[in-house]
Amino acid sequence: MNATSVLPPAERIAGLLQDPPDEPDMSAGYLDLLGPSAEPPPSPAQSVMQSTFLPRIYEKVWRPVGFNLAKGWPLGPDTATEQATARDWLGLAQPDDATKPPANVLDVACGPGNVTRALAAGVSPAGLVVGLDASETMLTRAAADTPATAPIGYVRGNAVDLPFRDATFDAVCCFGALYLFDDPWTAVDGMTRVLKPGGHLIILTSRRPLPLPTDLGRELVRRATGCTVFGDQEITSALADRGLTHIKHRRYPLMQLVLGVRPPKPPGRAARHLLTR
C-alpha cells in the first residue's frame, strides 16, 4: 500500500473500534468517545493531569525534569534515549532507518502526544499510531502539536475500558500513566486484549525501591496521592500472569520499564503436520 492510498487516521481508527459511533465527533481535532460525563471527582494526581496549565509545560518542563530525575538523572536515560528504547523494544524503526514497518500502535494515556509522536517516527505512512487519553486539555494540545501529515490519530476514551476490538494493535505503549489509574490491573487486561498475537506491550511506570510495611500503607499512599507505587515484581508478574512472554525489566531509582510479548497463535493442524514431516 503506498502513502497516497492510505485512509485518513480518523477513518482508520473507526475500523478498529468495538462500537464505532454513527456520528463521530471530531470537532476538537480528536475522536471524542466520552462526551460530557459525570464521573467522580478525580484524585489529586488526576486533577493535575486534567488541568489547562500542565499541557503547556508537559513536554518541555514537567516530563523531562520529573521523569529524568525519577530515572536517576544524570546517570539514567534522558527522554530521547527513553523514546528510542521504546521504539526498539516495540519492534519499530528508528527515525533515520530507511524502511519502517506499517504497524498499528496504541499509546495509552498519551497526554499531549509527546510519546505518540515519537512512536510515529518509527512507523511507515501506512502505519497508524493512536493516542488515547481521557483529558480534553491534553488531547487538544496533542492535536495542535501533531502535523496533519503524520500517521497519528487521537481518541478521547477510557484507558481502563479500551474501546478497541480484540487483537487490533501490533504494539501497545503506556508511559507514565499506569500508576494514576484507579484499577491498573483491569487496564493491563485491556492492553493485552487489544494486542495482536506476536505483539509487544511496553509499560513505563512507578517503582517502589523499598517495600512498604503493610498493604494498608500502600493503600494510604494511593488514597492520599492518587498514585500507586509498584514493587519490582508486580508489573512483570502481571504480564506473565496474562500469558505474555519474553519479558524484559529495566529498573531505575523510582521508575521501571517493562516489556512483554503476546505469544503468536499456534499453527493450525495442517501447518503442524507440515512442520513435523
Side-chain angles (χ1 to χ4, degrees), residues 106-127:
L106 175 62
D107 183 17
V108 178
C110 66
N114 53 310
V115 174
T116 316
R117 291 185 289 274
L119 297 175
V123 305
S124 75

Side-chain angles (χ1 to χ4, degrees), residues 97-110:
D97 289 348
T99 59
K100 299 177 181 179
N104 282 352
V105 183
L106 175 62
D107 183 17
V108 178
C110 66

Side-chain angles (χ1 to χ4, degrees), residues 11-24:
E11 293 185 41
R12 297 163 67 191
I13 289 172
L16 304 177
L17 296 174
Q18 286 183 316
D19 187 17
D22 293 331
E23 298 182 5

Side-chain angles (χ1 to χ4, degrees), residues 172-246:
V172 176
C173 173
C174 182
F175 267 28
L178 189 67
Y179 52 82
L180 296 174
F181 299 163
D182 292 332
D183 189 351
W185 307 124
T186 298
V188 175
D189 287 338
M191 295 180 215
T192 305
R193 177 183 63 79
V194 302
L195 196 63
K196 292 179 181 179
H200 294 60
L201 167 62
I202 190 171
I203 296 173
L204 177 68
T205 191
S206 59
R207 174 178 178 254
R208 186 173 64 244
L210 297 173
L212 289 173
T214 64
D215 290 341
L216 177 60
R218 290 192 288 271
E219 181 62 18
L220 289 174
V221 170
R222 193 192 70 80
R223 288 182 178 273
T225 64
C227 297
T228 301
V229 185
F230 298 104
D232 273 353
Q233 304 301 319
E234 287 186 85
I235 306 299
T236 55
S237 295
L239 298 192
D241 289 346
R242 287 156 178 81
L244 274 66
T245 61
H246 296 81

Side-chain angles (χ1 to χ4, degrees), residues 57-159:
I57 66 167
Y58 186 89
E59 188 166 358
K60 293 185 178 180
V61 180
W62 177 280
R63 199 176 195 287
V65 173
F67 277 50
N68 288 353
L69 287 174
K71 290 180 293 182
W73 183 89
L75 300 178
D78 60 12
T79 300
T81 302
E82 170 195 309
Q83 293 174 347
T85 300
R87 289 188 292 263
D88 181 42
W89 284 20
L90 290 174
L92 308 179
Q94 298 301 334
D96 294 334
D97 289 348
T99 59
K100 299 177 181 179
N104 282 352
V105 183
L106 175 62
D107 183 17
V108 178
C110 66
N114 53 310
V115 174
T116 316
R117 291 185 289 274
L119 297 175
V123 305
S124 75
L128 174 67
V129 182
V130 180
L132 178 138
D133 205 286
S135 169
E136 296 173 277
T137 56
M138 286 290 188
L139 289 174
T140 298
R141 184 60 188 247
D145 288 349
T146 298
T149 56
I152 295 173
Y154 294 102
V155 174
R156 182 168 176 249
N158 187 344

